[in-house]
Amino acid sequence: YPVACEAQMATWLVNDFFLLSLDYVECFDKLPYMLCLALLQYMGWPADCVGVLRDIYLRMRRRVVSGKAASTWWLSTVCIFQGDSMSTVIMNALMSVWVRYSKRTALSRDGGRLGSLSPSAVIVIFLDDRTLASTCAEVLCALLECTRKFDSAIWATLNASKCQLAGICAEGIRLITQALPEVVITNVVWILGFAFSDPRFIGGDLGHSKEEARYDKALKVLARLAVLP
């Protein structure tokens, strides 16, 4: 809510404003856990705690199952667990690096105005859900550039076709879409599960797309369950 209020204040005070919601492709499944554990240790986690997590992940095995066929088991080198408290801590630690990197990038591009009443950049994150807001299209493009570098370093893949962009300046939107051509231009952007919109936003109405996608996913899961013995 405070972030939405801050963004709304920016739309009242300036002529240009942009919101960009970023989506990962199966983020938890692709992260190298040894990198994550090394980061925890670097941040000052007790060595015993990191060691316990390392032992758990080093014993993680995987196999591919298709119908009645299954592959042999192999040692997994990627994937962190999802849904437990420790995976939340690991993801927050990892994303904090991206936040610091992004803030430095924004500060270098906007002359140090980050965090003022009319912010030139606002960074919102919850686990792997990230939203960038800026009053300057060039700053947003710079944040996209550092985001791609960070994602490459952690083996993450940006799902560009599920990223959403809203803005009130056509020229700025054109500049951002050059940096991220597959992005969906909409008049509604989701921030931490809430839809944020402004009547001046350029683009189509995708306000119900997330609910529809989740509903379709639930139907597919039910269809699979129906054929179980």
Side-chain angles (χ1 to χ4, degrees):
Y1 177 75
V3 174
C5 289
E6 209 170 352
Q8 184 65 68
M9 181 67 70
T11 64
W12 290 338
L13 296 178
V14 299
N15 293 322
D16 296 346
F17 189 71
F18 309 94
L19 276 171
L20 177 61
S21 176
L22 302 177
D23 185 76
Y24 273 131
V25 178
E26 300 174 350
C27 182
F28 284 83
D29 294 336
K30 296 188 176 183
L31 292 178
Y33 57 77
M34 293 302 292
L35 172 65
C36 297
L37 297 179
L39 178 61
L40 290 180
Q41 190 166 359
Y42 176 79
M43 289 182 166
W45 263 55
D48 291 345
C49 294
V50 176
V52 170
L53 289 174
R54 184 180 293 110
D55 289 343
I56 293 173
Y57 278 104
L58 286 175
R59 289 178 171 83
M60 185 167 57
R61 301 291 190 272
R62 284 186 165 192
R63 66 173 179 172
V64 176
V65 178
S66 179
K68 295 183 179 181
S71 70
T72 57
W73 293 94
W74 74 86
L75 180 65
S76 177
T77 58
V78 296
C79 177
I80 61 174
F81 300 125
Q82 186 172 0
D84 61 290
S85 57
M86 290 309 306
S87 64
T88 301
V89 172
I90 293 173
M91 183 61 72
N92 283 338
L94 191 63
M95 289 296 110
S96 70
V97 178
W98 171 75
V99 171
R100 293 174 187 175
Y101 182 32
S102 298
K103 283 185 176 180
R104 279 206 310 268
T105 299
L107 281 168
S108 66
R109 297 298 179 97
D110 73 359
R113 297 189 301 272
L114 186 67
S116 61
L117 180 62
S118 179
S120 61
V122 176
I123 300 169
V124 189
I125 186 167
F126 178 75
L127 296 179
D128 59 330
D129 292 331
R130 303 175 293 177
T131 300
L132 302 173
S134 180
T135 57
C136 176
E138 288 81 2
V139 169
L140 203 58
C141 289
L143 291 174
L144 265 176
E145 180 182 349
C146 75
T147 296
R148 290 187 185 278
K149 292 180 180 178
F150 174 80
D151 292 350
S152 175
I154 65 171
W155 300 358
T157 304
L158 192 65
N159 191 350
S161 63
K162 286 190 177 181
C163 297
Q164 296 182 359
L165 169 66
I168 57 177
C169 172
E171 179 60 25
I173 288 179
R174 184 192 64 79
L175 186 64
I176 297 168
T177 53
Q178 286 180 348
L180 191 63
E182 304 93 338
V183 68
V184 178
I185 302 174
T186 175
N187 60 10
V188 177
V189 170
W190 288 84
I191 303 177
L192 305 184
F194 295 91
F196 181 81
S197 62
D198 186 281
R200 292 173 295 170
F201 281 162
I202 301 169
D205 184 5
L206 299 179
H208 300 289
S209 61
K210 183 162 290 189
E211 292 97 329
E212 291 172 355
R214 288 176 175 172
Y215 179 73
D216 291 340
K217 184 177 180 180
L219 288 180
K220 291 178 181 178
V221 171
L222 288 174
R224 294 192 188 103
L225 291 174
V227 298
L228 290 176

mmCIF file with all atom_site columns, all heavy atoms in Angstrom, residues 147-168:
data_model
loop_
_atom_site.group_PDB
_atom_site.id
_atom_site.type_symbol
_atom_site.label_atom_id
_atom_site.label_alt_id
_atom_site.label_comp_id
_atom_site.label_asym_id
_atom_site.label_entity_id
_atom_site.label_seq_id
_atom_site.pdbx_PDB_ins_code
_atom_site.Cartn_x
_atom_site.Cartn_y
_atom_site.Cartn_z
_atom_site.occupancy
_atom_site.B_iso_or_equiv
_atom_site.pdbx_formal_charge
_atom_site.auth_seq_id
_atom_site.auth_comp_id
_atom_site.auth_asym_id
_atom_site.auth_atom_id
_atom_site.pdbx_PDB_model_num
ATOM 1   N N   . THR A 1 147 ? 19.388 -5.692  -14.329 1.00 0.00 ? 147 THR A N   1
ATOM 2   C CA  . THR A 1 147 ? 18.593 -6.874  -13.995 1.00 0.00 ? 147 THR A CA  1
ATOM 3   C C   . THR A 1 147 ? 19.005 -8.056  -14.854 1.00 0.00 ? 147 THR A C   1
ATOM 4   O O   . THR A 1 147 ? 19.141 -9.184  -14.363 1.00 0.00 ? 147 THR A O   1
ATOM 5   C CB  . THR A 1 147 ? 17.099 -6.580  -14.177 1.00 0.00 ? 147 THR A CB  1
ATOM 6   O OG1 . THR A 1 147 ? 16.690 -5.563  -13.245 1.00 0.00 ? 147 THR A OG1 1
ATOM 7   C CG2 . THR A 1 147 ? 16.257 -7.828  -13.933 1.00 0.00 ? 147 THR A CG2 1
ATOM 8   N N   . ARG A 1 148 ? 19.204 -7.826  -16.139 1.00 0.00 ? 148 ARG A N   1
ATOM 9   C CA  . ARG A 1 148 ? 19.649 -8.908  -17.032 1.00 0.00 ? 148 ARG A CA  1
ATOM 10  C C   . ARG A 1 148 ? 21.017 -9.441  -16.614 1.00 0.00 ? 148 ARG A C   1
ATOM 11  O O   . ARG A 1 148 ? 21.253 -10.655 -16.639 1.00 0.00 ? 148 ARG A O   1
ATOM 12  C CB  . ARG A 1 148 ? 19.693 -8.398  -18.475 1.00 0.00 ? 148 ARG A CB  1
ATOM 13  C CG  . ARG A 1 148 ? 18.327 -8.122  -19.099 1.00 0.00 ? 148 ARG A CG  1
ATOM 14  C CD  . ARG A 1 148 ? 18.487 -7.794  -20.561 1.00 0.00 ? 148 ARG A CD  1
ATOM 15  N NE  . ARG A 1 148 ? 17.249 -7.408  -21.187 1.00 0.00 ? 148 ARG A NE  1
ATOM 16  C CZ  . ARG A 1 148 ? 16.329 -8.264  -21.646 1.00 0.00 ? 148 ARG A CZ  1
ATOM 17  N NH1 . ARG A 1 148 ? 16.534 -9.566  -21.509 1.00 0.00 ? 148 ARG A NH1 1
ATOM 18  N NH2 . ARG A 1 148 ? 15.236 -7.837  -22.228 1.00 0.00 ? 148 ARG A NH2 1
ATOM 19  N N   . LYS A 1 149 ? 21.924 -8.570  -16.218 1.00 0.00 ? 149 LYS A N   1
ATOM 20  C CA  . LYS A 1 149 ? 23.256 -9.006  -15.783 1.00 0.00 ? 149 LYS A CA  1
ATOM 21  C C   . LYS A 1 149 ? 23.152 -9.842  -14.510 1.00 0.00 ? 149 LYS A C   1
ATOM 22  O O   . LYS A 1 149 ? 23.812 -10.876 -14.374 1.00 0.00 ? 149 LYS A O   1
ATOM 23  C CB  . LYS A 1 149 ? 24.149 -7.795  -15.547 1.00 0.00 ? 149 LYS A CB  1
ATOM 24  C CG  . LYS A 1 149 ? 24.514 -7.030  -16.813 1.00 0.00 ? 149 LYS A CG  1
ATOM 25  C CD  . LYS A 1 149 ? 25.392 -5.841  -16.501 1.00 0.00 ? 149 LYS A CD  1
ATOM 26  C CE  . LYS A 1 149 ? 25.766 -5.075  -17.767 1.00 0.00 ? 149 LYS A CE  1
ATOM 27  N NZ  . LYS A 1 149 ? 26.585 -3.878  -17.454 1.00 0.00 ? 149 LYS A NZ  1
ATOM 28  N N   . PHE A 1 150 ? 22.321 -9.392  -13.578 1.00 0.00 ? 150 PHE A N   1
ATOM 29  C CA  . PHE A 1 150 ? 22.139 -10.141 -12.334 1.00 0.00 ? 150 PHE A CA  1
ATOM 30  C C   . PHE A 1 150 ? 21.508 -11.499 -12.602 1.00 0.00 ? 150 PHE A C   1
ATOM 31  O O   . PHE A 1 150 ? 21.957 -12.529 -12.078 1.00 0.00 ? 150 PHE A O   1
ATOM 32  C CB  . PHE A 1 150 ? 21.269 -9.330  -11.373 1.00 0.00 ? 150 PHE A CB  1
ATOM 33  C CG  . PHE A 1 150 ? 20.896 -10.068 -10.120 1.00 0.00 ? 150 PHE A CG  1
ATOM 34  C CD1 . PHE A 1 150 ? 21.785 -10.167 -9.071  1.00 0.00 ? 150 PHE A CD1 1
ATOM 35  C CD2 . PHE A 1 150 ? 19.654 -10.669 -9.999  1.00 0.00 ? 150 PHE A CD2 1
ATOM 36  C CE1 . PHE A 1 150 ? 21.451 -10.856 -7.907  1.00 0.00 ? 150 PHE A CE1 1
ATOM 37  C CE2 . PHE A 1 150 ? 19.309 -11.357 -8.851  1.00 0.00 ? 150 PHE A CE2 1
ATOM 38  C CZ  . PHE A 1 150 ? 20.206 -11.451 -7.801  1.00 0.00 ? 150 PHE A CZ  1
ATOM 39  N N   . ASP A 1 151 ? 20.458 -11.526 -13.423 1.00 0.00 ? 151 ASP A N   1
ATOM 40  C CA  . ASP A 1 151 ? 19.775 -12.783 -13.729 1.00 0.00 ? 151 ASP A CA  1
ATOM 41  C C   . ASP A 1 151 ? 20.716 -13.775 -14.395 1.00 0.00 ? 151 ASP A C   1
ATOM 42  O O   . ASP A 1 151 ? 20.667 -14.978 -14.128 1.00 0.00 ? 151 ASP A O   1
ATOM 43  C CB  . ASP A 1 151 ? 18.569 -12.518 -14.633 1.00 0.00 ? 151 ASP A CB  1
ATOM 44  C CG  . ASP A 1 151 ? 17.469 -11.749 -13.922 1.00 0.00 ? 151 ASP A CG  1
ATOM 45  O OD1 . ASP A 1 151 ? 17.555 -11.589 -12.693 1.00 0.00 ? 151 ASP A OD1 1
ATOM 46  O OD2 . ASP A 1 151 ? 16.518 -11.308 -14.594 1.00 0.00 ? 151 ASP A OD2 1
ATOM 47  N N   . SER A 1 152 ? 21.579 -13.278 -15.255 1.00 0.00 ? 152 SER A N   1
ATOM 48  C CA  . SER A 1 152 ? 22.538 -14.154 -15.921 1.00 0.00 ? 152 SER A CA  1
ATOM 49  C C   . SER A 1 152 ? 23.508 -14.764 -14.908 1.00 0.00 ? 152 SER A C   1
ATOM 50  O O   . SER A 1 152 ? 23.872 -15.940 -15.026 1.00 0.00 ? 152 SER A O   1
ATOM 51  C CB  . SER A 1 152 ? 23.306 -13.365 -16.985 1.00 0.00 ? 152 SER A CB  1
ATOM 52  O OG  . SER A 1 152 ? 24.303 -14.140 -17.574 1.00 0.00 ? 152 SER A OG  1
ATOM 53  N N   . ALA A 1 153 ? 23.892 -13.989 -13.901 1.00 0.00 ? 153 ALA A N   1
ATOM 54  C CA  . ALA A 1 153 ? 24.844 -14.472 -12.903 1.00 0.00 ? 153 ALA A CA  1
ATOM 55  C C   . ALA A 1 153 ? 24.253 -15.563 -12.022 1.00 0.00 ? 153 ALA A C   1
ATOM 56  O O   . ALA A 1 153 ? 24.985 -16.420 -11.516 1.00 0.00 ? 153 ALA A O   1
ATOM 57  C CB  . ALA A 1 153 ? 25.333 -13.307 -12.046 1.00 0.00 ? 153 ALA A CB  1
ATOM 58  N N   . ILE A 1 154 ? 22.922 -15.544 -11.813 1.00 0.00 ? 154 ILE A N   1
ATOM 59  C CA  . ILE A 1 154 ? 22.298 -16.553 -10.945 1.00 0.00 ? 154 ILE A CA  1
ATOM 60  C C   . ILE A 1 154 ? 21.555 -17.614 -11.766 1.00 0.00 ? 154 ILE A C   1
ATOM 61  O O   . ILE A 1 154 ? 20.781 -18.386 -11.206 1.00 0.00 ? 154 ILE A O   1
ATOM 62  C CB  . ILE A 1 154 ? 21.329 -15.895 -9.944  1.00 0.00 ? 154 ILE A CB  1
ATOM 63  C CG1 . ILE A 1 154 ? 20.134 -15.239 -10.654 1.00 0.00 ? 154 ILE A CG1 1
ATOM 64  C CG2 . ILE A 1 154 ? 22.045 -14.890 -9.063  1.00 0.00 ? 154 ILE A CG2 1
ATOM 65  C CD1 . ILE A 1 154 ? 19.046 -14.760 -9.717  1.00 0.00 ? 154 ILE A CD1 1
ATOM 66  N N   . TRP A 1 155 ? 21.778 -17.654 -13.063 1.00 0.00 ? 155 TRP A N   1
ATOM 67  C CA  . TRP A 1 155 ? 21.187 -18.639 -13.970 1.00 0.00 ? 155 TRP A CA  1
ATOM 68  C C   . TRP A 1 155 ? 19.662 -18.491 -14.076 1.00 0.00 ? 155 TRP A C   1
ATOM 69  O O   . TRP A 1 155 ? 18.976 -19.441 -14.423 1.00 0.00 ? 155 TRP A O   1
ATOM 70  C CB  . TRP A 1 155 ? 21.523 -20.072 -13.531 1.00 0.00 ? 155 TRP A CB  1
ATOM 71  C CG  . TRP A 1 155 ? 22.971 -20.392 -13.477 1.00 0.00 ? 155 TRP A CG  1
ATOM 72  C CD1 . TRP A 1 155 ? 24.014 -19.562 -13.809 1.00 0.00 ? 155 TRP A CD1 1
ATOM 73  C CD2 . TRP A 1 155 ? 23.567 -21.621 -13.073 1.00 0.00 ? 155 TRP A CD2 1
ATOM 74  N NE1 . TRP A 1 155 ? 25.204 -20.195 -13.627 1.00 0.00 ? 155 TRP A NE1 1
ATOM 75  C CE2 . TRP A 1 155 ? 24.970 -21.462 -13.174 1.00 0.00 ? 155 TRP A CE2 1
ATOM 76  C CE3 . TRP A 1 155 ? 23.056 -22.833 -12.636 1.00 0.00 ? 155 TRP A CE3 1
ATOM 77  C CZ2 . TRP A 1 155 ? 25.856 -22.466 -12.853 1.00 0.00 ? 155 TRP A CZ2 1
ATOM 78  C CZ3 . TRP A 1 155 ? 23.943 -23.843 -12.314 1.00 0.00 ? 155 TRP A CZ3 1
ATOM 79  C CH2 . TRP A 1 155 ? 25.323 -23.662 -12.416 1.00 0.00 ? 155 TRP A CH2 1
ATOM 80  N N   . ALA A 1 156 ? 19.144 -17.334 -13.783 1.00 0.00 ? 156 ALA A N   1
ATOM 81  C CA  . ALA A 1 156 ? 17.694 -17.117 -13.860 1.00 0.00 ? 156 ALA A CA  1
ATOM 82  C C   . ALA A 1 156 ? 17.328 -16.618 -15.256 1.00 0.00 ? 156 ALA A C   1
ATOM 83  O O   . ALA A 1 156 ? 18.136 -15.995 -15.950 1.00 0.00 ? 156 ALA A O   1
ATOM 84  C CB  . ALA A 1 156 ? 17.242 -16.112 -12.808 1.00 0.00 ? 156 ALA A CB  1
ATOM 85  N N   . THR A 1 157 ? 16.091 -16.894 -15.644 1.00 0.00 ? 157 THR A N   1
ATOM 86  C CA  . THR A 1 157 ? 15.606 -16.506 -16.970 1.00 0.00 ? 157 THR A CA  1
ATOM 87  C C   . THR A 1 157 ? 14.389 -15.606 -16.819 1.00 0.00 ? 157 THR A C   1
ATOM 88  O O   . THR A 1 157 ? 13.431 -15.950 -16.123 1.00 0.00 ? 157 THR A O   1
ATOM 89  C CB  . THR A 1 157 ? 15.216 -17.730 -17.805 1.00 0.00 ? 157 THR A CB  1
ATOM 90  O OG1 . THR A 1 157 ? 16.342 -18.616 -17.899 1.00 0.00 ? 157 THR A OG1 1
ATOM 91  C CG2 . THR A 1 157 ? 14.770 -17.316 -19.206 1.00 0.00 ? 157 THR A CG2 1
ATOM 92  N N   . LEU A 1 158 ? 14.440 -14.466 -17.470 1.00 0.00 ? 158 LEU A N   1
ATOM 93  C CA  . LEU A 1 158 ? 13.318 -13.542 -17.441 1.00 0.00 ? 158 LEU A CA  1
ATOM 94  C C   . LEU A 1 158 ? 12.254 -13.993 -18.428 1.00 0.00 ? 158 LEU A C   1
ATOM 95  O O   . LEU A 1 158 ? 12.542 -14.229 -19.595 1.00 0.00 ? 158 LEU A O   1
ATOM 96  C CB  . LEU A 1 158 ? 13.790 -12.131 -17.793 1.00 0.00 ? 158 LEU A CB  1
ATOM 97  C CG  . LEU A 1 158 ? 12.809 -10.986 -17.550 1.00 0.00 ? 158 LEU A CG  1
ATOM 98  C CD1 . LEU A 1 158 ? 12.535 -10.830 -16.052 1.00 0.00 ? 158 LEU A CD1 1
ATOM 99  C CD2 . LEU A 1 158 ? 13.376 -9.688  -18.125 1.00 0.00 ? 158 LEU A CD2 1
ATOM 100 N N   . ASN A 1 159 ? 11.029 -14.151 -17.944 1.00 0.00 ? 159 ASN A N   1
ATOM 101 C CA  . ASN A 1 159 ? 9.908  -14.528 -18.802 1.00 0.00 ? 159 ASN A CA  1
ATOM 102 C C   . ASN A 1 159 ? 9.309  -13.249 -19.380 1.00 0.00 ? 159 ASN A C   1
ATOM 103 O O   . ASN A 1 159 ? 8.322  -12.713 -18.869 1.00 0.00 ? 159 ASN A O   1
ATOM 104 C CB  . ASN A 1 159 ? 8.864  -15.305 -17.997 1.00 0.00 ? 159 ASN A CB  1
ATOM 105 C CG  . ASN A 1 159 ? 7.818  -15.951 -18.885 1.00 0.00 ? 159 ASN A CG  1
ATOM 106 O OD1 . ASN A 1 159 ? 7.755  -15.677 -20.082 1.00 0.00 ? 159 ASN A OD1 1
ATOM 107 N ND2 . ASN A 1 159 ? 6.995  -16.792 -18.305 1.00 0.00 ? 159 ASN A ND2 1
ATOM 108 N N   . ALA A 1 160 ? 9.940  -12.755 -20.442 1.00 0.00 ? 160 ALA A N   1
ATOM 109 C CA  . ALA A 1 160 ? 9.592  -11.437 -20.974 1.00 0.00 ? 160 ALA A CA  1
ATOM 110 C C   . ALA A 1 160 ? 8.135  -11.345 -21.419 1.00 0.00 ? 160 ALA A C   1
ATOM 111 O O   . ALA A 1 160 ? 7.507  -10.298 -21.299 1.00 0.00 ? 160 ALA A O   1
ATOM 112 C CB  . ALA A 1 160 ? 10.523 -11.086 -22.130 1.00 0.00 ? 160 ALA A CB  1
ATOM 113 N N   . SER A 1 161 ? 7.577  -12.447 -21.938 1.00 0.00 ? 161 SER A N   1
ATOM 114 C CA  . SER A 1 161 ? 6.198  -12.401 -22.439 1.00 0.00 ? 161 SER A CA  1
ATOM 115 C C   . SER A 1 161 ? 5.169  -12.246 -21.321 1.00 0.00 ? 161 SER A C   1
ATOM 116 O O   . SER A 1 161 ? 4.018  -11.910 -21.575 1.00 0.00 ? 161 SER A O   1
ATOM 117 C CB  . SER A 1 161 ? 5.893  -13.672 -23.239 1.00 0.00 ? 161 SER A CB  1
ATOM 118 O OG  . SER A 1 161 ? 5.984  -14.817 -22.409 1.00 0.00 ? 161 SER A OG  1
ATOM 119 N N   . LYS A 1 162 ? 5.590  -12.489 -20.058 1.00 0.00 ? 162 LYS A N   1
ATOM 120 C CA  . LYS A 1 162 ? 4.696  -12.301 -18.916 1.00 0.00 ? 162 LYS A CA  1
ATOM 121 C C   . LYS A 1 162 ? 4.997  -11.024 -18.144 1.00 0.00 ? 162 LYS A C   1
ATOM 122 O O   . LYS A 1 162 ? 4.337  -10.735 -17.147 1.00 0.00 ? 162 LYS A O   1
ATOM 123 C CB  . LYS A 1 162 ? 4.780  -13.509 -17.973 1.00 0.00 ? 162 LYS A CB  1
ATOM 124 C CG  . LYS A 1 162 ? 4.088  -14.754 -18.503 1.00 0.00 ? 162 LYS A CG  1
ATOM 125 C CD  . LYS A 1 162 ? 3.996  -15.814 -17.426 1.00 0.00 ? 162 LYS A CD  1
ATOM 126 C CE  . LYS A 1 162 ? 3.229  -17.037 -17.936 1.00 0.00 ? 162 LYS A CE  1
ATOM 127 N NZ  . LYS A 1 162 ? 3.106  -18.077 -16.888 1.00 0.00 ? 162 LYS A NZ  1
ATOM 128 N N   . CYS A 1 163 ? 5.990  -10.278 -18.591 1.00 0.00 ? 163 CYS A N   1
ATOM 129 C CA  . CYS A 1 163 ? 6.280  -8.991  -17.968 1.00 0.00 ? 163 CYS A CA  1
ATOM 130 C C   . CYS A 1 163 ? 5.276  -7.957  -18.455 1.00 0.00 ? 163 CYS A C   1
ATOM 131 O O   . CYS A 1 163 ? 4.846  -7.994  -19.611 1.00 0.00 ? 163 CYS A O   1
ATOM 132 C CB  . CYS A 1 163 ? 7.700  -8.546  -18.306 1.00 0.00 ? 163 CYS A CB  1
ATOM 133 S SG  . CYS A 1 163 ? 8.973  -9.647  -17.659 1.00 0.00 ? 163 CYS A SG  1
ATOM 134 N N   . GLN A 1 164 ? 4.897  -7.046  -17.579 1.00 0.00 ? 164 GLN A N   1
ATOM 135 C CA  . GLN A 1 164 ? 3.881  -6.057  -17.915 1.00 0.00 ? 164 GLN A CA  1
ATOM 136 C C   . GLN A 1 164 ? 4.415  -4.647  -17.718 1.00 0.00 ? 164 GLN A C   1
ATOM 137 O O   . GLN A 1 164 ? 5.109  -4.365  -16.740 1.00 0.00 ? 164 GLN A O   1
ATOM 138 C CB  . GLN A 1 164 ? 2.635  -6.260  -17.055 1.00 0.00 ? 164 GLN A CB  1
ATOM 139 C CG  . GLN A 1 164 ? 1.940  -7.590  -17.294 1.00 0.00 ? 164 GLN A CG  1
ATOM 140 C CD  . GLN A 1 164 ? 0.682  -7.756  -16.464 1.00 0.00 ? 164 GLN A CD  1
ATOM 141 O OE1 . GLN A 1 164 ? 0.328  -6.880  -15.673 1.00 0.00 ? 164 GLN A OE1 1
ATOM 142 N NE2 . GLN A 1 164 ? 0.016  -8.881  -16.631 1.00 0.00 ? 164 GLN A NE2 1
ATOM 143 N N   . LEU A 1 165 ? 4.090  -3.783  -18.669 1.00 0.00 ? 165 LEU A N   1
ATOM 144 C CA  . LEU A 1 165 ? 4.554  -2.395  -18.643 1.00 0.00 ? 165 LEU A CA  1
ATOM 145 C C   . LEU A 1 165 ? 3.361  -1.461  -18.762 1.00 0.00 ? 165 LEU A C   1
ATOM 146 O O   . LEU A 1 165 ? 2.492  -1.654  -19.615 1.00 0.00 ? 165 LEU A O   1
ATOM 147 C CB  . LEU A 1 165 ? 5.529  -2.145  -19.797 1.00 0.00 ? 165 LEU A CB  1
ATOM 148 C CG  . LEU A 1 165 ? 5.910  -0.689  -20.076 1.00 0.00 ? 165 LEU A CG  1
ATOM 149 C CD1 . LEU A 1 165 ? 6.705  -0.106  -18.912 1.00 0.00 ? 165 LEU A CD1 1
ATOM 150 C CD2 . LEU A 1 165 ? 6.705  -0.584  -21.383 1.00 0.00 ? 165 LEU A CD2 1
ATOM 151 N N   . ALA A 1 166 ? 3.319  -0.467  -17.901 1.00 0.00 ? 166 ALA A N   1
ATOM 152 C CA  . ALA A 1 166 ? 2.305  0.584   -17.987 1.00 0.00 ? 166 ALA A CA  1
ATOM 153 C C   . ALA A 1 166 ? 3.015  1.927   -17.902 1.00 0.00 ? 166 ALA A C   1
ATOM 154 O O   . ALA A 1 166 ? 3.996  2.079   -17.182 1.00 0.00 ? 166 ALA A O   1
ATOM 155 C CB  . ALA A 1 166 ? 1.275  0.445   -16.865 1.00 0.00 ? 166 ALA A CB  1
ATOM 156 N N   . GLY A 1 167 ? 2.520  2.900   -18.647 1.00 0.00 ? 167 GLY A N   1
ATOM 157 C CA  . GLY A 1 167 ? 3.145  4.217   -18.628 1.00 0.00 ? 167 GLY A CA  1
ATOM 158 C C   . GLY A 1 167 ? 2.214  5.275   -19.168 1.00 0.00 ? 167 GLY A C   1
ATOM 159 O O   . GLY A 1 167 ? 1.192  4.972   -19.798 1.00 0.00 ? 167 GLY A O   1
ATOM 160 N N   . ILE A 1 168 ? 2.580  6.540   -18.929 1.00 0.00 ? 168 ILE A N   1
ATOM 161 C CA  . ILE A 1 168 ? 1.728  7.642   -19.371 1.00 0.00 ? 168 ILE A CA  1
ATOM 162 C C   . ILE A 1 168 ? 2.436  8.510   -20.408 1.00 0.00 ? 168 ILE A C   1
ATOM 163 O O   . ILE A 1 168 ? 1.992  9.620   -20.694 1.00 0.00 ? 168 ILE A O   1
ATOM 164 C CB  . ILE A 1 168 ? 1.288  8.513   -18.171 1.00 0.00 ? 168 ILE A CB  1
ATOM 165 C CG1 . ILE A 1 168 ? 2.507  9.047   -17.407 1.00 0.00 ? 168 ILE A CG1 1
ATOM 166 C CG2 . ILE A 1 168 ? 0.411  7.706   -17.222 1.00 0.00 ? 168 ILE A CG2 1
ATOM 167 C CD1 . ILE A 1 168 ? 2.126  9.965   -16.251 1.00 0.00 ? 168 ILE A CD1 1
#
